[in-house]
Amino acid sequence: MSIKYNGGYLPTVGADGSTLVANSSASTGVSWAGQAFSQPVLNSAFQIWQRGTNISYSNETKYAADRWQASISQSAASISQRATGDTTNLPFIQYCSRVQRTSGNSQTSDIQFAQSFESINSIPYAGKTVTLSFYARAGSDYSASSKGLQYRLVTGTGTDQNVLTGFTGQANAILQTPALTATWQRFTATATLGASISQMAINFVFTPTSTASTNDYYEVTGVQIDLGSVALPFRTNSGTLQGELQACQRYYYRSSTGVAYQQYGAGIGKSTTVAGIQVKLPITMRTVPSSTIDAANLSLYDTSGTVVVSSVAQSGLNSTPDVYYLEATTAGGLTQFRPYILTNSNSTSAYIGFSAEL
Amino acid sequence: MDNINFVDYEQIDSLMKTFAIIDKGNGEYVSMPKADYDAQIAANQTLPSNFVGIGNAPADPTA
């Protein structure tokens, strides 16, 4: 059934619960779309960078912006937070991610930049029509052939897997390679997902050519997935900066306030060299954080003096998604059974980080 | 080049477990069980020659 309006016809009546939205690409100027509830992409506007706002890569796979992981088989590349600097072509999104091959680098293997979603956040989209959208632009020396940036909406049938190590039953629901320009553009693509998918991921692929010049990069932001065939106005997953931070901390938490002698946790001297320390995590994480800890410039403090920590390690069995228990090793000078606070060595660059990523 | 040290930690069940402490410089380090470190090396996750990942960009069927 079509509804007549203003001399024309509205599209066929949409599915129950769908809403009518403006769509300049449709002949009628309107389309039925899914409801504008929360979208699943976390840190979609690149506001949260707990690991630092400029991450260097040398033949490795690791996270940059929270929830965004890159796999770069090249000796010199970087991912950094940048200001979009454009309020005309962007809906007032402050930040973007710059994915850059370092000047002088002549390696041309793919630079992959991806976000994998938990199954619990993917299954609601199974069997549904979805629209992936994002904003992107190219640096003046962006070297990809025809200035292309490949993007994919990848699906899988496994549980809580990481797309950069491969999904079970992996398939590309969307695969496009639009040409970027120096000006921000919004790109959208629509697909209907398989009914049995249990995972989704977004993956951007930059395939560089020749030797990198100074501005061999692309920038991306405003990454969004909507139900239906229309890209709705951009919004973040949580709607607030605090909500976005906490959503990201479900997967990774780094305590790094930049304050000298910041405190991270407290515990007891186990021997003259080791203290057991409990760190209360700010939110319940996805799982018990992994036994891989990243840290810098830590000390133990007994209200009298500090002892430099040489390394920390998870002490198994009794960590939970809420509380992490670790052992801090020093060169000596601790007192057994004396209370200690885990602090830093008068350092503004100290941190300790825990991961529960996919 | 990262500097790797192996440190034995006594666990809460009194068993000893060896951790790899990967010194990244500037006071930064990563700590992980040696078994995980060995598995990572075996998988050559940091080496381009053995990167499995999602695979190189396939041809775009829509192009």
Side-chain angles (χ1 to χ4, degrees):
Chain A
M1 181 184 80
S2 295
I3 303 169
K4 192 168 185 178
Y5 85 110
N6 195 27
Y9 288 90
L10 291 176
T12 303
V13 169
D16 289 351
S18 59
T19 54
L20 201 58
V21 298
N23 181 5
S24 61
S25 300
S27 59
T28 56
V30 289
S31 295
W32 295 104
Q35 292 173 304
F37 63 83
S38 178
Q39 65 117 343
V41 184
L42 296 184
N43 201 19
S44 53
F46 298 98
Q47 298 162 308
I48 312 296
W49 296 69
Q50 291 188 85
R51 297 169 180 85
T53 55
N54 189 357
I55 307 294
S56 297
Y57 286 77
S58 180
N59 295 317
E60 54 197 332
T61 299
K62 63 183 180 183
Y63 283 85
D66 277 57
R67 296 298 298 127
W68 289 96
Q69 186 184 33
S71 182
I72 302 179
S73 297
Q74 300 195 7
S75 59
S78 65
I79 297 180
S80 57
Q81 184 189 45
R82 302 285 171 157
T84 58
D86 186 335
T87 55
T88 303
N89 301 295
L90 285 171
F92 298 98
I93 302 173
Q94 185 176 7
Y95 295 114
C96 65
S97 183
R98 175 179 292 184
V99 180
Q100 179 159 17
R101 190 170 58 140
T102 304
S103 180
N105 182 354
S106 59
Q107 294 170 298
T108 56
S109 54
D110 290 342
I111 294 177
Q112 309 211 31
F113 190 48
Q115 180 169 144
S116 304
F117 302 105
E118 282 183 74
S119 292
I120 196 170
N121 294 325
S122 303
I123 288 170
Y125 295 87
K128 306 279 178 54
T129 296
V130 301
T131 297
L132 169 63
S133 60
F134 64 94
Y135 294 83
R137 70 177 174 184
S140 58
D141 300 316
Y142 183 55
S143 66
S145 175
S146 302
K147 303 286 185 188
L149 174 64
Q150 184 177 96
Y151 68 97
R152 305 183 230 183
L153 179 61
V154 185
T155 59
T157 54
T159 301
D160 293 346
Q161 295 174 331
N162 182 320
V163 74
L164 291 182
T165 50
F167 280 170
T168 300
Q170 185 170 302
N172 295 319
I174 292 172
L175 193 162
Q176 303 273 341
T177 311
L180 306 186
T181 68
T183 303
W184 285 104
Q185 299 177 78
R186 193 180 203 195
F187 300 96
T188 71
T190 297
T192 298
L193 305 185
S196 60
I197 67 111
S198 52
Q199 279 221 258
M200 297 192 302
I202 294 168
N203 187 36
F204 295 99
V205 184
F206 164 25
T207 306
T209 62
S210 63
T211 299
S213 295
T214 306
N215 297 305
D216 189 7
Y217 65 80
Y218 73 90
E219 293 178 335
V220 63
T221 193
V223 188
Q224 179 166 291
I225 292 175
D226 289 302
L227 280 176
S229 57
V230 179
L232 298 175
F234 174 70
R235 63 206 182 280
T236 58
N237 172 270
S238 67
T240 66
L241 185 59
Q242 183 63 21
E244 206 71 9
L245 172 62
Q246 292 189 329
C248 290
Q249 287 178 334
R250 171 174 168 80
Y251 303 88
Y252 181 80
Y253 166 61
R254 176 177 288 192
S255 184
S256 57
T257 60
V259 175
Y261 298 115
Q262 178 199 342
Q263 298 174 16
Y264 307 93
I268 305 286
K270 183 176 179 178
S271 66
T272 57
T273 58
V274 176
I277 301 292
Q278 182 191 78
V279 178
K280 178 71 178 76
L281 302 169
I283 66 164
T284 302
M285 297 185 74
R286 184 182 70 87
T287 60
V288 175
S290 86
S291 47
T292 297
I293 306 170
D294 40 70
N297 301 317
L298 301 176
S299 289
L300 292 168
Y301 177 56
D302 64 359
T303 73
S304 173
T306 59
V307 177
V308 172
V309 171
S310 56
S311 65
V312 294
Q314 182 190 45
S315 183
L317 303 179
N318 53 349
S319 290
T320 71
D322 298 296
V323 177
Y324 201 91
Y325 181 70
L326 58 84
E327 292 193 350
T329 294
T330 70
L334 303 182
T335 300
Q336 191 177 33
F337 306 135
R338 175 179 291 181
Y340 284 98
I341 293 169
L342 183 66
T343 180
N344 69 47
S345 314
N346 189 21
S347 169
T348 56
S349 59
Y351 64 82
I352 187 164
F354 306 94
S355 173
E357 296 280 7
L358 297 175
Chain B
M1 193 65 161
D2 294 337
N3 184 27
I4 316 294
N5 290 303
F6 297 105
V7 179
D8 290 330
Y9 279 88
E10 183 183 358
Q11 301 291 288
I12 197 167
D13 55 5
S14 298
L15 296 176
M16 298 302 289
K17 190 171 182 178
T18 304
F19 282 74
I21 310 298
I22 306 163
D23 185 351
K24 314 290 281 186
N26 297 321
E28 295 185 274
Y29 59 90
V30 174
S31 162
M32 68 174 69
K34 183 176 183 296
D36 292 355
Y37 174 76
D38 290 343
Q40 196 173 88
I41 294 299
N44 270 344
Q45 287 185 347
T46 60
L47 297 179
S49 59
N50 200 32
F51 169 65
V52 286
I54 195 170
N56 285 340
D60 183 351
T62 63

